[in-house]
Amino acid sequence: MMDEAGTATGFEGQCEPLPAGDMALAAAQQRIAQLEAALQEAGRTIQALRESELRYREIFDGASDIILVLGLDGRRLAWSPAGERILGYSAEEIQAMSVREFSHLVVPEHRERVRRALRDKTEDGVVESHYEADFTAKDGRRVTLEVNSRLLFRDGRPVAIQGILRDITNRKRIEQALRESEARYRDLFENANDIVYVHDFEGRFLSINRKVERVLGYTPADTRHLTLTHIVTPEHRARALQAIADKLAGKTETTQYELDVIAKNGQRVTLEISSRLFYENSVPVGIHGTARDVTKRRQMEKALRESEARYRTLFDSAQDVIYCHDLQGHVLDINPAAEKLFGYRRDEARSINVVDLLLPESRPVALAAIKPLLDGTETTVRYEATLLARDGRRITLEMITWLVLENGTPVAFQGIGRDLTERRLSERALRESEERFRRIFDAAPLGIVLVSLTGQILRANRALCEWLGYAPEEIVGRPHTDFIPPEDTEESMRLARRLVEDAKLSSFQAERRYLTKHGQVVWGRLTVVALRNGEEQPQYLLGMIEDITQQRLLEEQVRHAQKMEAVGQLAAGIAHEFNNLLTVVAGYAGLLERRLAPTSVERSSPDLLHRYARDILTAVSRASVLTGQLLAFGRKQPQQLAPLNLNELVLDAVRMLRPLLEPHITLVTDLSPDLGIVVADRQQLEQVLTNLAVNARDAMPKGGTLTLMTLNVWHESRPETRSRAMFRRKAVRDETMQMHPYVMLAVSDTGTGMSEEVRQRIFEPFFTTKPVGKGTGLGLSVVEGIIAQNKGFITVESEVGKGTTFRIFLPRGELLQAAPAGS
């Protein structure tokens, strides 16, 4: 044993000092024991810290409020999972936001409030603050948060700000509703038609406010002569007197009852009475009370009972499912619609738990949906669930559920369910249809492209990508004009705009050039359809493109061959015509040479020589006319535009045309007296009339009538033509097709007419039905070219055996400019 001095004490009472080594060993052992105790204490502390951190993490992760830790430099150090549930932002999204973006979560009118609270902490050292602010959730909702924030310190220095953000949106909504309710109640109370009165024990009124006049019609002066027996109905007088006696006997301090009284106008009014003894100097001298007109209330109660009856009728006749079950899920009531849909009678349903009807995959959804109701965070929830009917059918319902409260305590769930089964099946069918469309879109042999209204390519199928040599990602997102030649862009955009703006135009078709990735030009037959929604508003443009490059090459080769054939035919006709003219010129020139030679023995009279010279000039004139036709056909003939009255032109042309017509052809004019002025080339129009008159003459070999008619017309009301009429507008610009006044010149004959095949080709260059040498095929082509040069258009109507009518339309009163050469 060791005493306090460190000496050993034996049983015999002898004391001997311990050796120095033993003392060091004892000290070491004692130190080791202390260290072991310290380690055990440290272990317990670390374990406690771990448990504390785990509890903090559980609290942090499971907290229903948002926990935010904000560094003093503005960095978001922590954001609890509740933030994603309340505001829709995860911790990663919050931490990725800039300071500006994070501050813009607060609505503009509350940002200064938040900034002031932060300044109080960072600049003035305010440790704690409490305020409310509205935030904008990720889905756009406005959420009101109660913010409790305080500074966090380390080693006595502030290092961060911790905020607890509680969602009080619903509470605010409830408080607002409560304030409004209180305001309404106060307004009703302050403006209620209550009567305040004092009367003695015999029922004589001692004082009464003016409300009695509003309720019963009695003025305060009237009441000085009234008693209870005057105004209370006979059957209620005993009740009023008994109430007075009870108070005088001390049986009650206050009485409340209802009385029926007679108003000044004789009407019966029900009053709710609240009365007590009225004292003066502690001595009861009368009755003080208030009387409230409850006549309307009683009427309303009656109406409420009737309303409840109507509610039951609505409950029973509603097409949607209406249900009620207790907090454990036991069905309390269902309406007939639910009976019909699920196959259970109402009494049978009361033995069913709705959890048993829910499919397993819908149970977690339903439980999660109703949890906010039990937590008090929501008053109504909406969700979808699939339940089993009695016959095993799966029924998908859109549920709207709320709590039924009794004295503020939840006792049941009530809600409405709408059958979405057919809609979901339709949506599934729609998805499958869209999938089929996608497969068809991608597998179609034609090029298909989906374009936005702004011209951006949204989708292109495999065939189109392969045709143009691009990968799909190289096409999608680019303007569609990137793939067409620049000179075709304006026309393509014009057609697209017209399709979008005109709801009556469902599609258009055109042949277009396209550019491949390697710069080659290919041809496609484009069909564009406007895709519209249910309100007929355009959404997209769908284009289908057929590769016609080879077809265009073949057509070009055919056109070239036809052109060469036509050129040959033209050359033959012109050569024959010029040969005839040259024969005339050479023949008469030879006669002149012989007759005028000094050695000639023949002498001719001047008249004969003059006739020879005149015939030569006639032949030269015919050659000049032929040359003019060639120039007009090639659009090389210069125009001399001037104001012109077609009536004058026709009258002058009649004198010129009569020698050209056969004697058995009658020339008739039908001229409008108020004909408008046109601006055109007079010589060109004379040539048009001459060509048409000559054609009419050739079409009437046995005689007939040639009619020239003029008339003022409008383009939108141009004369109706039969189905065989042909409308030509080659080389006519779009502005000539607008609605403007026109002057019409009609040339009609009663000749042989034309077949449909001939009529379709009459304006083709070099086309003629006359034998070789009798015509060049340029006449009607020249006519069409001249009319187009003068900004007009021409139609033709013809039928075999019934004649032909050409109608020429020229703009009225418009100063036209000569078209460029070659246009």
Side-chain angles (χ1 to χ4, degrees):
M1 297 289 292
M2 299 287 295
D3 60 11
E4 292 180 356
T7 57
T9 304
F11 289 106
E12 294 81 7
Q14 297 177 353
C15 296
E16 295 181 3
L18 290 174
D22 290 342
M23 291 179 65
L25 178 60
Q29 288 175 343
Q30 184 178 5
R31 181 61 178 164
I32 289 172
Q34 292 174 349
L35 290 175
E36 287 178 348
L39 286 174
Q40 289 176 357
E41 183 63 25
R44 285 192 295 272
T45 301
I46 291 172
Q47 181 62 28
L49 287 174
R50 288 175 179 171
E51 292 175 355
S52 176
E53 182 179 358
L54 181 59
R55 286 193 300 272
Y56 174 77
R57 175 54 59 183
E58 289 175 350
I59 293 172
F60 182 84
D61 291 341
S64 59
D65 297 336
I66 300 174
I67 301 176
L68 167 66
V69 179
L70 186 68
L72 296 181
D73 57 357
R75 291 184 300 113
R76 274 70 67 196
L77 303 178
W79 178 263
S80 68
E84 184 169 5
R85 177 176 57 80
I86 296 173
L87 293 180
Y89 293 100
S90 65
E92 293 77 8
E93 291 175 312
I94 292 295
Q95 291 171 353
M97 289 182 182
S98 65
V99 174
R100 179 181 178 83
E101 290 173 335
F102 183 72
S103 66
H104 276 65
L105 294 182
V106 183
V107 299
E109 59 268 29
H110 290 177
R111 288 174 191 162
E112 180 57 31
R113 182 184 304 173
V114 177
R115 293 191 187 103
R116 186 168 61 251
L118 291 175
R119 286 197 302 268
D120 290 344
K121 291 181 177 58
T122 56
E123 297 177 5
D124 301 335
V126 176
V127 176
E128 294 186 0
S129 60
H130 173 77
Y131 57 91
E132 294 176 2
D134 287 358
F135 290 71
T136 302
K138 191 174 183 180
D139 58 5
R141 290 179 299 107
R142 189 179 179 119
V143 180
T144 301
L145 297 181
E146 182 183 62
V147 181
N148 290 282
S149 62
R150 62 185 180 86
L151 281 173
L152 298 180
F153 294 87
R154 180 177 295 170
D155 299 329
R157 293 173 55 250
V159 295
I161 299 172
Q162 182 186 54
I164 306 298
L165 287 68
R166 173 165 295 176
D167 183 4
I168 60 171
T169 307
N170 288 328
R171 191 180 81 192
K172 283 294 182 181
R173 188 183 303 118
I174 294 170
E175 289 175 353
Q176 179 63 24
L178 182 59
R179 284 193 296 271
E180 293 173 355
S181 176
E182 290 176 348
R184 288 193 300 269
Y185 171 77
R186 175 58 56 185
D187 181 68
L188 289 173
F189 178 80
E190 295 295 340
N191 296 284
N193 295 329
D194 291 349
I195 302 171
V196 180
Y197 64 89
V198 177
H199 64 74
D200 61 17
F201 297 125
E202 285 72 33
R204 292 187 297 268
F205 289 100
L206 303 178
S207 66
I208 192 166
N209 66 354
R210 296 189 62 87
K211 293 295 182 179
V212 69
E213 183 175 1
R214 184 174 176 184
V215 177
L216 299 178
Y218 298 109
T219 65
D222 294 333
T223 60
R224 287 198 294 268
H225 309 290
L226 294 177
T227 64
L228 290 180
T229 57
H230 287 114
I231 63 173
V232 177
T233 59
E235 63 270 26
H236 287 179
R237 288 172 188 166
R239 181 186 304 173
L241 296 175
Q242 184 62 45
I244 296 174
D246 289 343
K247 284 191 280 288
L248 287 173
K251 294 181 179 180
T252 180
E253 185 72 20
T254 303
T255 55
Q256 292 181 344
Y257 54 97
E258 289 185 4
L259 289 177
D260 284 356
V261 298
I262 305 300
K264 189 174 183 178
N265 60 5
Q267 292 183 345
R268 192 181 184 106
V269 179
T270 301
L271 296 179
E272 183 181 65
I273 306 297
S274 177
S275 62
R276 60 182 176 80
L277 286 175
F278 180 70
Y279 293 88
E280 285 186 0
N281 300 321
S282 301
V283 177
V285 294
I287 303 297
H288 175 268
T290 60
R292 174 169 296 176
D293 182 5
V294 294
T295 307
K296 291 184 178 180
R297 185 199 301 175
R298 294 298 171 254
Q299 294 172 349
M300 290 177 62
E301 289 174 353
K302 180 181 178 182
L304 179 60
R305 290 191 294 272
E306 295 172 351
S307 174
E308 289 175 350
R310 289 194 297 270
Y311 166 76
R312 175 52 60 180
T313 301
L314 176 64
F315 180 85
D316 291 339
S317 61
Q319 298 299 313
D320 290 334
V321 171
I322 301 178
Y323 58 90
C324 183
H325 61 79
D326 64 18
L327 300 182
Q328 289 72 42
H330 299 103
V331 175
L332 300 176
D333 199 5
I334 60 173
N335 68 338
E339 292 180 301
K340 181 178 179 182
L341 184 62
F342 286 93
Y344 294 101
R345 296 193 310 273
R346 183 176 297 175
D347 55 344
E348 293 177 321
R350 292 192 177 100
S351 62
I352 297 174
N353 192 300
V354 293
V355 178
D356 298 331
L357 298 182
L358 287 167
L359 292 184
E361 57 269 25
S362 292
R363 291 172 186 171
V365 176
L367 292 175
I370 64 174
K371 187 176 183 300
L373 296 177
L374 297 172
D375 295 342
T377 58
E378 297 288 348
T379 57
T380 304
V381 294
R382 183 190 298 264
Y383 60 98
E384 287 186 18
T386 303
L387 300 89
L388 284 176
R390 185 170 193 168
D391 57 5
R393 289 178 295 112
R394 293 189 173 199
I395 299 174
T396 300
L397 292 182
E398 180 185 44
M399 318 280 278
I400 301 176
T401 303
W402 59 90
L403 274 175
V404 178
L405 304 177
E406 285 187 3
N407 300 323
T409 302
V411 295
F413 291 101
Q414 189 172 23
I416 299 173
R418 175 157 295 180
D419 185 5
L420 300 181
T421 308
E422 292 298 328
R423 185 195 302 179
R424 294 295 175 255
L425 291 175
S426 298
E427 290 173 352
R428 178 180 177 184
L430 178 61
R431 288 193 297 270
E432 293 174 352
S433 175
E434 290 174 347
E435 178 62 20
R436 287 194 298 271
F437 168 78
R438 185 189 63 77
R439 293 178 182 176
I440 294 172
F441 182 89
D442 292 335
L446 292 178
I448 304 178
V449 61
L450 189 66
V451 182
S452 70
L453 298 183
T454 59
Q456 302 296 317
I457 294 178
L458 303 177
R459 191 170 182 178
N461 72 341
R462 175 186 52 81
L464 181 69
C465 295
E466 292 178 353
W467 184 48
L468 297 179
Y470 289 94
E473 58 271 15
E474 295 177 308
I475 291 182
V476 174
R478 294 175 60 181
H480 76 282
T481 53
D482 287 357
F483 305 96
I484 59 178
E487 57 270 24
D488 295 349
T489 301
E490 183 177 353
E491 176 67 8
S492 178
M493 296 295 291
R494 184 184 68 82
L495 291 175
R497 283 194 300 269
R498 183 181 174 192
L499 183 61
V500 169
E501 295 169 358
D502 189 352
K504 297 180 180 178
L505 187 63
S506 59
S507 66
F508 72 81
Q509 189 176 75
E511 293 185 359
R512 286 281 178 266
R513 296 183 299 168
Y514 295 89
L515 299 175
T516 68
K517 186 176 183 179
H518 302 294
Q520 297 175 333
V521 177
V522 292
W523 281 88
R525 181 176 291 109
L526 170 67
T527 301
V528 180
V529 178
L531 303 180
R532 302 178 184 273
N533 59 17
E535 288 75 30
E536 291 301 317
Q537 296 298 317
Q539 303 295 302
Y540 310 99
L541 295 178
L542 180 68
M544 293 166 283
I545 307 173
E546 178 186 1
D547 183 10
I548 59 170
T549 306
Q550 294 300 321
Q551 177 181 334
R552 292 289 298 212
L553 292 175
L554 292 175
E555 290 175 355
E556 186 63 30
Q557 293 172 3
V558 171
R559 281 195 297 270
H560 181 70
Q562 291 175 341
K563 181 178 179 182
M564 296 307 296
E565 179 183 358
V567 169
Q569 182 180 0
L570 173 65
I574 293 174
H576 183 82
E577 188 72 19
F578 269 102
N579 186 55
N580 290 340
L581 297 174
L582 291 175
T583 299
V584 173
V585 172
Y588 284 111
L591 290 174
L592 284 174
E593 191 273 333
R594 287 196 302 274
R595 298 285 181 148
L596 297 176
T599 58
S600 174
V601 295
E602 298 182 11
R603 294 297 179 183
S604 300
S605 67
D607 292 339
L608 181 61
L609 296 178
H610 179 266
R611 183 168 62 81
Y612 290 164
R614 185 183 64 190
D615 291 342
I616 291 174
L617 290 174
T618 300
V620 171
S621 177
R622 290 178 61 192
S624 177
V625 171
L626 181 59
T627 303
Q629 287 181 330
L630 291 172
L631 288 173
F633 172 71
R635 310 294 194 267
K636 300 296 184 181
Q637 194 174 26
Q639 281 187 295
Q640 299 295 327
L641 297 179
L644 179 63
N645 188 312
L646 289 187
N647 285 347
E648 297 176 0
L649 175 71
V650 170
L651 293 175
D652 292 342
V654 166
R655 292 189 290 271
M656 178 182 65
L657 292 176
R658 288 197 185 277
L660 296 178
L661 302 177
E662 299 297 335
H664 50 271
I665 294 178
T666 303
L667 181 58
V668 178
T669 60
D670 181 7
L671 307 180
S672 176
D674 57 346
L675 196 66
I677 300 299
V678 299
V679 179
D681 188 311
R682 181 185 183 93
Q683 183 178 358
Q684 285 185 330
L685 294 185
E686 288 177 347
Q687 184 177 355
V688 167
L689 271 177
T690 302
N691 284 356
L692 294 179
V694 169
N695 281 350
R697 178 200 65 190
D698 295 341
M700 296 184 291
K702 298 180 180 180
T705 301
L706 175 63
T707 303
L708 304 179
M709 183 182 72
T710 59
L711 187 66
N712 290 323
V713 297
W714 289 83
H715 181 262
E716 70 270 22
S717 59
R718 58 188 174 87
E720 293 294 332
T721 56
R722 294 196 296 272
S723 59
R724 291 179 176 272
M726 181 169 59
F727 176 67
R728 300 285 297 184
R729 60 186 183 100
K730 181 179 179 183
V732 181
R733 292 185 175 87
D734 288 342
E735 57 264 24
T736 66
M737 303 308 296
Q738 297 174 357
M739 297 181 181
H740 290 300
Y742 283 81
V743 174
M744 183 194 74
L745 170 60
V747 181
S748 304
D749 66 63
T750 57
T752 57
M754 293 176 281
S755 66
E756 180 65 18
E757 292 77 17
V758 172
R759 189 180 64 81
Q760 292 287 350
R761 299 188 61 191
I762 58 174
F763 291 105
E764 293 181 6
F766 319 128
F767 174 77
T768 180
T769 58
K770 300 176 182 179
V772 177
K774 296 297 183 180
T776 62
L778 291 176
L780 291 179
S781 180
V782 168
V783 167
E784 185 190 35
I786 289 174
I787 299 304
Q789 242 184 329
N790 287 277
K791 295 293 183 71
F793 57 89
I794 184 171
T795 67
V796 58
E797 177 184 355
S798 184
E799 191 171 347
V800 175
K802 295 186 178 181
T804 301
T805 298
F806 287 89
R807 289 184 175 87
I808 298 167
F809 297 87
L810 295 173
R812 175 158 43 104
E814 181 184 1
L815 183 60
L816 303 176
Q817 300 296 327
S823 64

